[in-house]
Amino acid sequence: MSDALLSIQHLTHCFRLGKKQVLRAVDDVSFDVRPGEIFGLVGESGSGKSTIARCVMNICQPSEGKIFFDGIDVCSPKERRAHRKLLQTKRQIIFQDSSSSLNQRMTVADIIAEPMSIHHITPKRGSCRAEAEFQLHYVGMDPSYLDRYPAELSGGMRQRVAIARALSMEPALLVADEPIASLDVSIQAQIINLFKHLQEEHGFTFLFIAHDLAVVRYLCDRAAVLYHGKIVEIAPTKELFSNPLHPYTQALLSAIPIPDPRRERARPLRVYTPGPVTGQLAEASPGHLVLREEEPG
């Protein structure tokens, strides 16, 4: 944990669906995110990715486990109170749906400047508007958008505003919860390249959540594969794609289409039979962990 900016240890979160029914959305998940890296979290819808993000940001209180940010136990109410300002400024989240994450009654300038106003932070560039203009330019938008409302912007522009708002706090950790899922393909490429540029220029640490494997392959340094709330494999991205070891990871990668129709028709499609996921992560090679499922009986 000493060299990790974010350390998640045996995280479990359950949702109560009724008096007797409980959904185990996240099941004993552990991983570290190192300073300056982009860590990808991939899996199908309902695998628990967004729940982990919400636990990291204290939107949800985990049922079990610990989460440490820069050595601070964010699951402890006492430690959260003691480091309240640091946690609220140095961790930022970018949601999938920019329409609902931006206040429709505020202008772009006010949206970007709002975190500085809430935390009484003096803008580096003299005024909140000047700071908003700088951040907007940094994410590739013209200052003429400062006085517009979210409803007047396209989906890609709204997502850029959300990114600019997060960057105004100069966070150490950015949690991006499927930030491109609702955008057109051309806009997705622009946002992904923006993330890559931000990481290379400023060394931000990203927890990047996605279900698009091609994006994870291009953007992330390491990745973890989630299935039914449990991590089945963690590895450096290149190794994960070149040498997947868990059957579910192999099935996921086999579903990525190949542009060549002949090769696409000729290759076998791997099928993973759903079932209970049990066992513990074990190191198959340095830095490559895979879930070793328990033998029945």
Side-chain angles (χ1 to χ4, degrees):
M1 189 185 72
S2 58
D3 63 343
L5 179 66
L6 176 68
S7 181
I8 295 177
Q9 302 175 5
H10 305 290
L11 177 67
T12 296
H13 189 67
C14 301
F15 291 102
R16 187 167 293 280
L17 304 180
K19 291 184 178 179
K20 296 182 179 180
Q21 191 175 7
V22 173
L23 173 65
R24 202 176 184 88
V26 179
D27 186 6
D28 194 23
V29 164
S30 298
F31 63 87
D32 290 346
V33 182
R34 302 163 190 150
E37 82 168 337
I38 302 180
F39 188 91
L41 208 53
V42 300
E44 61 194 49
S45 297
S47 60
K49 306 184 299 296
S50 295
T51 302
I52 291 174
R54 282 161 170 73
C55 289
V56 168
M57 296 301 297
N58 293 125
I59 298 172
C60 294
Q61 180 65 24
S63 304
E64 298 175 27
K66 296 285 186 181
I67 301 173
F68 292 91
F69 170 74
D70 201 14
I72 301 167
D73 181 2
V74 303
C75 296
S76 164
K78 183 178 180 181
E79 290 206 38
R80 283 206 307 272
R81 287 194 297 270
H83 301 91
R84 179 173 173 268
K85 186 172 183 179
L86 183 146
L87 291 174
Q88 290 184 348
T89 56
K90 294 305 178 184
R91 301 175 304 167
Q92 294 294 317
I93 185 169
I94 302 164
F95 293 99
Q96 175 180 343
D97 184 5
S98 56
S99 299
S100 60
S101 65
L102 302 180
N103 191 328
Q104 301 297 312
R105 297 185 177 183
M106 295 175 68
T107 64
V108 168
D110 291 337
I111 288 170
I112 297 173
E114 185 180 26
M116 291 179 282
S117 301
I118 290 173
H119 297 290
H120 306 290
I121 295 173
T122 302
K124 287 186 175 181
R125 288 152 191 90
S127 69
C128 287
R129 186 175 180 86
E131 185 69 28
E133 182 176 340
F134 173 83
Q135 296 297 348
L136 202 63
H137 173 76
Y138 196 71
V139 298
M141 290 181 66
D142 192 88
S144 62
Y145 290 101
L146 283 170
D147 295 314
R148 296 194 185 184
Y149 291 87
E152 300 176 274
L153 306 178
S154 67
M157 288 179 177
R158 285 197 299 267
Q159 199 63 287
R160 286 173 185 264
V161 171
I163 294 169
R165 177 177 61 183
L167 295 181
S168 69
M169 291 290 94
E170 298 185 350
L173 174 68
L174 268 174
V175 178
D177 185 9
E178 300 200 38
I180 61 170
S182 60
L183 305 178
D184 293 338
V185 174
S186 60
I187 306 300
Q188 288 182 5
Q190 294 175 20
I191 299 298
I192 289 301
N193 286 326
L194 174 61
F195 281 139
K196 199 167 186 67
H197 170 73
L198 291 173
Q199 200 277 334
E200 290 173 352
E201 186 165 325
H202 291 283
F204 291 131
T205 303
F206 278 85
L207 176 58
F208 187 81
I209 295 167
H211 59 259
D212 188 330
L213 294 168
V215 170
V216 171
R217 186 176 194 171
Y218 172 74
L219 186 66
C220 299
D221 302 305
R222 290 190 302 139
V225 180
L226 271 174
Y227 177 67
H228 283 195
K230 202 170 185 71
I231 289 180
V232 297
E233 194 163 356
I234 302 177
T237 308
K238 288 183 179 178
E239 185 171 348
L240 185 73
F241 278 78
S242 63
N243 184 32
L245 298 179
H246 193 273
Y248 178 67
T249 309
Q250 294 169 355
L252 271 183
L253 297 184
S254 75
I256 301 176
I258 298 175
D260 186 338
R262 292 182 180 179
R263 290 176 57 201
E264 176 69 19
R265 286 194 298 267
R267 70 169 179 165
L269 179 64
R270 293 179 178 269
V271 177
Y272 182 67
T273 304
V277 185
T278 58
Q280 297 295 325
L281 286 172
E283 194 169 54
S285 61
H288 193 159
L289 305 176
V290 63
L291 188 74
R292 301 298 188 190
E293 296 189 11
E294 298 171 349
E295 295 294 333

